[in-house]
């Protein structure tokens, strides 16, 4: 199947009645096509993917009327790690987003500082690999501009998202990563508001990333740090993310 065919199939899979979206999140797990598309996408190499997909192409944006009235929360929804509870207990007053690694100017930004940056608002569809989608509105600070402030070094190739939660309730914290150049996509934002309200705990408070050309598991919630690295070898087991390392999910996860 060519990349174009795949995108068309994906479009059909998601076209399963936008009216149904109004009733909540669309369930797609019974769609053979949807599974097929996800499976075939996993087989693409990054090189093929980049050859076929213009990197600046935007994901579809929706109208307010198309927003899901209920947006499912998934994965960690109520982190119990000591570091998260400490932040939550005083309403994230002590929260600082750390930007570190291969940068000239390490940053530690408060929520007030993040909110003072120029913002972007987007109504987009979140597609989870488990087979459901929801349309929601996200507001946040563009990731690329924020990272520029830290002056990435020339050899920085990836951004690693370090999170406050442990999906398995152990010592390991959730983590994900993308190419540094994907941070410059216009729809890559660090979101602090969802559906015109403060981002709630279930959906990643106080900060989660939105990467609208990627599957749900890439969009790390409860972000504490952004680390710029040249290689993913020393991150987790070396595949760049929690699901990649533990369950063999594909790192690119492009849609
Ligand atoms: N820190 C963290 N981020 C995470 C997860 C998680 O368990 N922990 N789950 C991922 C998965 S699989 C999905 S589908 C989305 C769910 O986001 P939502 O809760 O806003 O629907 O978050 C992603 N980001
Ligand atoms: Mo997911």
């Amino acid at each position: 199947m060519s990349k174009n065919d795949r995108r068309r199939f994906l479009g059909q899979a998601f076209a399963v009645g936008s009216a149904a979206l109004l009733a909540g999140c669309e369930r797609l797990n019974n769609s053979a096509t949807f599974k097929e598309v996800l499976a075939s996408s996993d087989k693409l190499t990054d090189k093929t993917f980049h050859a076929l997909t213009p990197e600046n192409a935007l994901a579809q944006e929706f109208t307010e009327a198309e927003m899901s009235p209920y947006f499912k929360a998934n994965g960690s929804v109520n982190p119990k790690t000591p570091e998260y509870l400490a932040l939550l207990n005083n309403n994230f007053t002590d929260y600082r987003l750390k930007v570190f690694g291969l940068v000239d100017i390490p940053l530690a930004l408060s929520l007030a500082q993040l909110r003072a940056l120029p913002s972007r608002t987007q109504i987009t569809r979140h597609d989870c690999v488990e087979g459901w989608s929801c349309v929601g509105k996200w507001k946040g600070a563009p990731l690329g501009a924020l990272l520029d402030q830290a002056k990435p070094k020339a050899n920085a190739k990836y951004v690693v998202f370090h999170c406050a939660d442990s999906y398995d309730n152990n010592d390991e914290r959730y983590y994900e990563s993308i190419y540094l150049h994907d941070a410059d996509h216009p729809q890559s934002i660090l979101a602090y508001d969802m559906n015109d309200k403060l981002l709630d705990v279930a959906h990643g408070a106080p900060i989660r990333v939105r990467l609208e050309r990627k599957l749900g598991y890439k969009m790390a919630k409860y972000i504490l740090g952004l680390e710029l690295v040249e290689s993913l070898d020393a991150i987790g087991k070396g595949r760049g993310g929690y699901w990649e390392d533990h369950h063999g999910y594909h790192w690119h996860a492009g849609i």
Side-chain angles (χ1 to χ4, degrees):
M1 211 190 313
S2 76
K3 178 66 192 159
N4 277 343
D5 286 341
R6 257 188 294 277
R7 291 200 70 80
R8 203 160 46 237
F9 271 118
L10 199 55
Q12 282 166 5
F14 287 128
V16 186
S18 58
L21 274 177
L22 296 174
C25 301
E26 183 80 6
R27 286 206 69 84
L28 294 164
N29 50 348
N30 292 328
S31 156
T33 309
F34 183 72
K35 283 183 186 156
E36 186 189 308
V37 168
L38 293 176
S40 62
S41 145
D42 280 1
K43 289 182 196 123
L44 286 174
T45 64
D46 290 337
K47 210 174 151 201
T48 319
F49 204 95
H50 282 283
L52 294 167
T53 311
E55 286 173 25
N56 56 354
L58 294 182
Q60 185 181 355
E61 297 198 10
F62 295 80
T63 64
E64 304 238 340
E66 291 170 302
M67 285 164 58
S68 306
Y70 165 77
F71 197 110
K72 183 178 160 72
N74 204 37
S76 297
V77 293
N78 193 10
K80 293 288 182 218
T81 59
E83 61 267 42
Y84 190 76
L85 292 178
L87 290 169
L88 179 65
N89 282 344
N90 69 357
N91 218 7
F92 302 111
T93 313
D94 298 331
Y95 175 84
R96 296 291 181 275
L97 174 74
K98 301 224 167 63
V99 184
F100 61 104
L102 296 174
V103 295
D104 284 340
I105 309 173
L107 306 174
L109 301 168
S110 68
L111 290 175
Q113 286 173 311
L114 288 168
R115 283 183 174 273
L117 297 172
S119 72
R120 186 179 203 279
T121 301
Q122 57 206 32
I123 301 177
T124 51
R125 189 188 57 227
H126 179 106
D127 301 325
C128 174
V129 71
E130 292 167 11
W132 56 270
S133 299
C134 288
V135 175
K137 188 199 273 193
W138 305 94
K139 180 181 180 188
L143 182 58
L146 185 142
L147 292 175
D148 285 347
Q149 288 188 23
K151 300 217 178 303
K153 294 189 187 292
N155 57 337
K157 188 173 174 196
Y158 304 94
V159 188
V160 181
F161 305 103
H162 292 283
C163 304
D165 64 304
S166 171
Y167 183 76
D168 294 316
N169 291 312
N170 57 22
D171 284 345
E172 188 183 50
R173 303 294 177 254
Y174 196 92
Y175 54 101
E176 257 304 339
S177 59
I178 57 171
Y179 283 127
L180 179 54
H181 63 71
D182 281 337
D184 290 326
H185 186 282
Q187 291 165 318
S188 295
I189 64 171
L190 290 175
Y192 40 72
D193 285 347
M194 173 189 185
N195 294 351
D196 297 315
K197 293 192 201 89
L198 217 57
L199 184 63
D200 63 8
V201 169
H203 295 96
I207 295 290
R208 72 97 52 88
V209 72
R210 296 298 311 172
L211 306 162
E212 308 297 356
R213 295 294 308 277
K214 301 215 175 271
L215 287 167
Y217 60 89
K218 300 299 284 188
M219 297 195 236
K221 309 194 280 188
Y222 319 112
I223 295 177
L224 296 180
L226 306 177
E227 181 182 7
L228 271 61
V229 297
E230 185 171 11
S231 153
L232 297 174
D233 289 351
I235 307 299
K237 294 181 185 163
R239 293 179 174 207
Y242 169 82
W243 287 102
E244 292 89 329
D245 276 340
H246 292 273
H247 302 280
Y249 285 22
H250 192 259
W251 180 77
H252 198 287
I255 50 175

